[in-house]
Amino acid sequence: MTVRLRPHHLLCLLTYVGKGYTPGFVANYDRIARRLSEGESVLIVDGPDDVCAALLCEPDPHCHRDSVRLRDAQAAADIGDLLDMTISAGSGIELHPMLLARMRKAFADGVTRKACRGCEWADLCSGIAADAYREARVQAEAVECC
Ligand code: SF4
């Protein structure tokens, strides 16, 4: 199984602490955070993903808006540069602990924050990063070495 994520959710998962738009959204995101923490890989998709799924039954969900697609494009560019890979539909990513730590450092340093411009959660996410992601629900398990 893979978790289907649109590119800007590669940033949002770093700071997810159980807050969100609706109780159903949070319950769904908690399940996704657990799956990612248990090592499930990520498949990048174009447009609404497994996180968006809990909002798609609402009238006019923001997940389809051009502004959100722009956020995806910016996040794909910045994370692609950071990881030296192409982030586009069909890309696969293993969120191993070192990769997660690298993405979190870049996020805290502002290297990958352009996609966050105008987001209503920006201050919350900045605070979580400044607090060393202590409350974040995606915490990759250390991989045991043989
Ligand atoms: S500020 Fe918005 S886009 Fe950026 S990580 Fe937080 S929720 Fe995601």
Side-chain angles (χ1 to χ4, degrees):
M1 288 278 287
T2 56
V3 178
R4 298 165 59 259
L5 292 181
R6 61 192 309 165
H8 87 267
H9 283 162
L10 289 173
L11 299 177
C12 305
L13 69 84
L14 302 175
T15 55
Y16 173 65
V17 290
K19 295 187 194 302
Y21 301 103
T22 65
F25 178 86
V26 169
N28 179 56
Y29 211 148
D30 277 344
R31 283 191 291 274
I32 291 169
R34 202 159 38 243
R35 287 166 59 193
L36 292 171
S37 297
E38 289 170 358
E40 257 189 65
S41 56
V42 170
L43 176 69
I44 298 298
V45 296
D46 188 19
D49 62 3
D50 288 348
V51 174
C52 301
L55 298 176
L56 295 179
C57 55
E58 293 185 353
D60 190 28
H62 71 264
C63 320
H64 293 294
R65 290 186 193 152
D66 287 348
S67 58
V68 183
R69 290 189 177 276
L70 281 174
R71 214 182 279 299
D72 283 332
Q74 185 67 66
D78 287 348
I79 299 167
D81 284 349
L82 177 73
L83 303 181
D84 197 21
M85 66 178 285
T86 300
I87 305 281
S88 61
S91 302
I93 301 176
E94 306 290 331
L95 283 182
H96 54 78
M98 279 179 61
L99 190 79
L100 203 53
R102 197 164 156 207
M103 289 170 66
R104 283 193 161 133
K105 181 176 187 322
F107 187 90
D109 290 347
V111 173
T112 53
R113 293 300 304 273
K114 287 199 271 309
C116 299
R117 275 193 207 126
C119 178
E120 64 187 288
W121 303 98
D123 288 346
L124 175 75
C125 293
S126 296
I128 291 159
D131 191 37
Y133 303 96
R134 258 185 280 274
E135 304 295 323
R137 295 202 174 171
V138 175
Q139 298 288 349
E141 290 175 3
V143 178
E144 283 187 28
C145 183
C146 46

